[in-house]
């Protein structure tokens, strides 16, 4: 299995020491243009980078190249970022409806988020899907800057939809919640970028 995802730009390297919890590497994945990819099983796979890797951020951009996003029996996390000390969090979730939702929130406040419907991102089709989300904290909540999925299809920006909750961990978790111990998601990805700035639409396209 994959025991570590190495950060190409910084030093945040999510790891997993337990073999049964390590995701699977797919060498030269033909469905990802020949690039290596990683598959999470949705039941116990998770890669985690713990404190003190996350600092206070006023904005975030998340970019993922994924395929085979499986609709879960219970809502699961493809990516979860928590910073309890700064009362901030960001996440990419897969819901039981098949919808994918990205949000950047100040826990305890009403939030805005970006959501892509299951039909729009072709969750049941084994082909690459580009998920990109850029958000900024504003007025104690989150302001959606941009959301795109497969071939530039734009997801719906939904405001005042729900309330964030305080996260107990200052952590990055891929494939599970911020504790890395539950709310798993099953998916395959080839690329992941997290930036502590809200990139413009043009900057996101250049990525």
């Amino acid at each position: 299995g994959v025991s570590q995802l190495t950060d190409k730009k910084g030093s945040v390297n999510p790891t997993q020491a337990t073999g049964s919890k390590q995701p699977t590497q797919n060498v030269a994945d033909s469905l990802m243009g020949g690039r290596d990819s990683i598959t999470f099983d949705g039941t116990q796979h998770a890669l985690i980078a713990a404190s003190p890797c996350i600092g206070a951020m006023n904005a975030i951009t998340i970019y993922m190249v994924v395929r085979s996003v499986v609709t879960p029996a219970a809502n699961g996390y493809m990516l979860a970022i928590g910073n309890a000390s700064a009362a901030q969090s960001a996440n990419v979730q897969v819901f039981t409806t098949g919808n994918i939702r990205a949000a950047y929130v100040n826990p305890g406040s009403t939030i805005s988020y970006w959501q892509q419907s299951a039909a729009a991102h072709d969750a049941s089709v084994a082909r690459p899907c580009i998920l990109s989300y850029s958000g900024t904290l504003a007025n104690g909540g989150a302001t959606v800057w941009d959301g795109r999925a497969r071939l530039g299809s734009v997801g719906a920006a939904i405001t005042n939809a729900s309330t964030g909750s305080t996260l107990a961990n200052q952590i990055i978790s891929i494939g599970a919640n911020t504790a890395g111990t539950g709310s798993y998601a099953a998916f395959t990805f080839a690329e992941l970028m997290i930036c502590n700035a809200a990139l413009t639409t043009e900057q996101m396209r250049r990525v």
Side-chain angles (χ1 to χ4, degrees):
V2 177
S3 61
Q4 176 173 306
L5 187 64
T6 302
D7 188 347
K8 290 185 177 181
K9 293 295 184 180
S11 58
V12 180
N13 302 313
T15 62
Q16 179 55 257
T18 303
S20 61
K21 297 181 179 181
Q22 293 173 353
T24 304
Q25 181 180 10
N26 310 299
V27 178
D29 189 339
S30 61
L31 295 174
M32 286 292 197
R35 294 190 176 190
D36 289 0
S37 65
I38 300 174
T39 296
F40 292 79
D41 65 1
T43 58
Q44 61 178 345
H45 289 173
L47 294 172
I48 304 165
S51 174
C53 67
I54 307 165
M57 296 182 290
N58 292 318
I60 195 168
T61 297
I62 298 168
Y63 178 95
M64 300 181 75
V65 178
V66 302
R67 69 168 176 82
S68 300
V69 180
V70 179
T71 300
N75 299 341
Y77 286 85
M78 296 169 66
L79 174 68
I81 303 173
N83 187 340
S85 62
Q88 297 172 355
S89 66
N91 60 72
V92 179
Q93 286 183 273
V94 184
F95 285 77
T96 55
T97 57
N99 292 349
I100 295 176
R101 180 183 297 178
Y104 183 35
V105 305
N106 189 348
S109 300
T110 301
I111 67 171
S112 301
Y113 57 80
W114 166 78
Q115 180 167 283
Q116 186 72 38
S117 70
H121 67 71
D122 294 331
S124 62
V125 180
R127 61 182 176 186
C129 171
I130 297 174
L131 302 173
S132 57
Y133 167 77
S134 183
T136 58
L137 286 178
N139 300 320
T143 299
V144 174
W145 182 275
D146 184 43
R148 296 185 298 123
R150 190 179 58 81
L151 300 179
S153 173
V154 179
I158 305 173
T159 59
N160 300 327
S162 59
T163 301
S165 59
T166 300
L167 298 172
N169 298 87
Q170 186 171 333
I171 200 169
I172 291 177
S173 178
I174 305 171
N177 58 21
T178 51
T181 57
S183 301
Y184 297 97
F187 65 101
T188 298
F189 86 98
E191 291 188 33
L192 169 64
M193 183 194 77
I194 303 171
C195 179
N196 62 344
L199 302 185
T200 65
T201 301
E202 182 58 31
Q203 288 172 325
M204 293 170 82
R205 287 172 178 162
R206 290 176 181 176
V207 171

